[in-house]
Amino acid sequence: MAIGSPVNQKEVARGSGVPVRDLRADARSLARSEFEERHGRAFLLLSAADLSTPRPTITEVRLDGDPGAPTRTDSTANLSLVVYALRRNGRSAGHLITLGRAPDNDVVVPDVSISRFHAFVKRDANGRWMMQDAGSTNGTTVNGSSVPRQGHGPPAELSPGDDVRLGQVDLTFLDSEALVSFASRLER
């Protein structure tokens, strides 16, 4: 960002993620190898409202005709699909792809439940994607199972469609094949 340029609050709210609709044209027009070169080979998909807004702890429902009940807030208007590419971008040191809230991570997810340096991923010698918790405050899970902290157990293997939870943020792991298939089917 150039000095003096305005800060786009939507970009800050989604961190290093991009709206899936921004990948639609490339998913439809590029060969898979070109798509991977431009965007990456693995992704985390977030289906959520703007991360900068506090999440409610209670859902309230008002029945029509109950004048004393609180009104329901429509939260689906800001629903979006955000894609986080799992690739090194030079922000972090080392060979690992770092995930966290701080801007010096490769993957930045700006949510208060995510630690500054929360977790990391890497590809092993067999090409499998592996995830390890980095000693985060609120933990990391894959398909509901806790991911051990580095040095306290083996990393968790990621497969397309796996549910990944960083703190209180739910994501879905996708490889490029799954993301291209999904993004190319999106309507305008």
Side-chain angles (χ1 to χ4, degrees):
M1 181 169 70
I3 295 174
S5 63
V7 174
N8 182 333
Q9 291 302 316
K10 286 187 179 186
E11 287 177 12
V12 170
R14 67 177 171 255
S16 63
V18 298
V20 70
R21 69 180 171 275
D22 290 359
L23 302 175
R24 184 179 54 222
D26 285 352
R28 291 178 177 167
S29 65
L30 296 178
R32 172 84 47 75
S33 60
E34 292 174 291
F35 184 90
E36 288 178 352
E37 187 176 321
R38 186 174 292 177
H39 301 289
R41 292 183 174 179
F43 307 88
L44 290 173
L45 179 68
L46 171 69
S47 174
D50 181 359
L51 286 172
S52 64
T53 60
R55 285 181 298 283
T57 56
I58 299 173
T59 301
E60 295 178 348
V61 177
R62 184 186 108 199
L63 300 174
D64 287 339
D66 185 358
T71 59
R72 181 180 63 111
T73 302
D74 185 11
S75 62
T76 59
N78 292 325
L79 187 67
S80 61
L81 296 171
V82 177
V83 177
Y84 294 90
L86 294 178
R87 64 190 304 181
R88 291 208 20 81
N89 61 16
R91 291 183 186 154
S92 66
H95 67 284
L96 303 172
I97 300 167
T98 61
L99 296 89
R101 188 180 73 239
D104 56 346
N105 287 287
D106 295 307
V107 178
V108 179
V109 184
D111 187 89
V112 296
S113 72
I114 295 177
S115 295
R116 292 184 52 75
F117 174 46
H118 195 95
F120 58 87
V121 295
K122 64 179 179 178
R123 288 187 81 180
D124 71 6
N126 297 318
R128 298 175 302 185
W129 290 94
M130 308 302 282
M131 177 174 266
Q132 192 103 53
D133 187 81
S136 67
T137 302
N138 293 318
T140 303
T141 64
V142 173
N143 296 326
S145 297
S146 291
V147 173
R149 193 174 60 159
Q150 184 178 21
H152 290 82
E157 183 177 346
L158 296 172
S159 298
D162 281 352
D163 295 321
V164 175
R165 186 176 181 105
L166 303 174
Q168 298 300 312
V169 178
D170 294 315
L171 305 125
T172 303
F173 176 78
L174 299 175
D175 61 10
S176 61
E177 179 181 0
L179 181 63
V180 165
S181 175
F182 177 72
S184 63
R185 291 190 319 256
L186 289 174
E187 296 297 321
R188 287 198 171 269

